[in-house]
Amino acid sequence: MGNEMVIALIGAGSALAGALVGGAAAVMGAARAARSAYFGPLDVARREGQREAYVALLKAADTYEAETATALGYARLPHSDRDERARYRSAISSAAMPQPVAASVRQVELEGPTRVAEAAKAVRAAAQELAVTLTGIEGGFENPDEGLDPAMPDQAHAQHEALRSAINAFADVAGRRLNTW
């Protein structure tokens, strides 16, 4: 074989290798583009579902926080009149139900991710702890002769602050999740 033939074979081999590398890169690029075209809308829909779940929890938690703040104001007032005690007891009783918060947390747990779900669980735990204390305060109104444990309103106020902190922490974690891609 002459030098020309060796040069031609090397050139042909190089062209074939180049075509294979270029073709593989084109196939991978096309696959990546197809994946983005397919998963892009799915990712947008998933993010929208997460946003809706996060907003629902924040609304439920903010509503519960406001209702309990009002009820806690009643717990510190003197209650001499039977009708007045009944009104206060009713307000505390309705505020002692964190079920909407718990239901919203379950939705956030489904949507994820884990760190956002953990922050949501902290909101639920704080709401449930406050609800238990409010139920105890409600019992104090039910039996006025026994009186209300003076520490309970203070305990409830501390738990209310813990609830507010948990809500703020959740909002921070959820916001960071939604604002990162």
Side-chain angles (χ1 to χ4, degrees):
M1 270 202 255
N3 284 340
E4 293 87 23
M5 182 66 104
V6 171
I7 292 172
L9 286 174
I10 291 173
S14 296
L16 182 60
L20 288 174
V21 169
V27 167
M28 288 177 61
R32 217 175 281 129
R35 181 178 170 84
S36 291
Y38 179 73
F39 285 113
L42 290 178
D43 200 34
V44 169
R46 182 177 50 85
R47 288 288 180 133
E48 182 61 24
Q50 287 175 336
R51 188 190 71 73
E52 288 173 5
Y54 301 170
V55 167
L57 174 55
L58 286 172
K59 284 181 181 178
D62 285 342
T63 299
Y64 184 71
E65 186 272 329
E67 289 172 353
T68 56
T70 301
L72 290 174
Y74 295 145
R76 290 196 184 258
L77 298 173
H79 313 288
S80 54
D81 178 298
R82 183 187 264 314
D83 291 336
E84 186 178 79
R85 271 196 318 271
R87 278 194 311 276
Y88 295 155
R89 180 174 177 246
S90 175
I92 289 173
S93 177
S94 67
M97 296 187 192
Q99 287 85 353
V101 173
S104 295
V105 168
R106 284 190 294 277
Q107 185 65 34
V108 170
E109 287 178 295
L110 287 173
E111 294 292 338
T114 303
R115 72 179 177 278
V116 177
E118 292 301 320
K121 288 178 189 177
V123 172
R124 178 178 56 206
Q128 289 172 334
E129 190 174 321
L130 179 56
V132 168
T133 302
L134 288 173
T135 301
I137 292 172
E138 179 188 5
F141 282 115
E142 190 173 303
N143 302 314
D145 295 336
E146 294 178 20
L148 181 63
D149 179 356
M152 287 190 97
D154 292 335
Q155 179 182 358
H157 280 279
Q159 291 169 341
H160 186 260
E161 284 303 313
L163 173 64
R164 289 175 62 178
S165 293
I167 293 169
N168 290 336
F170 171 77
D172 182 54
V173 170
R176 277 187 277 140
R177 167 65 182 154
L178 291 175
N179 292 318
T180 58
W181 284 93

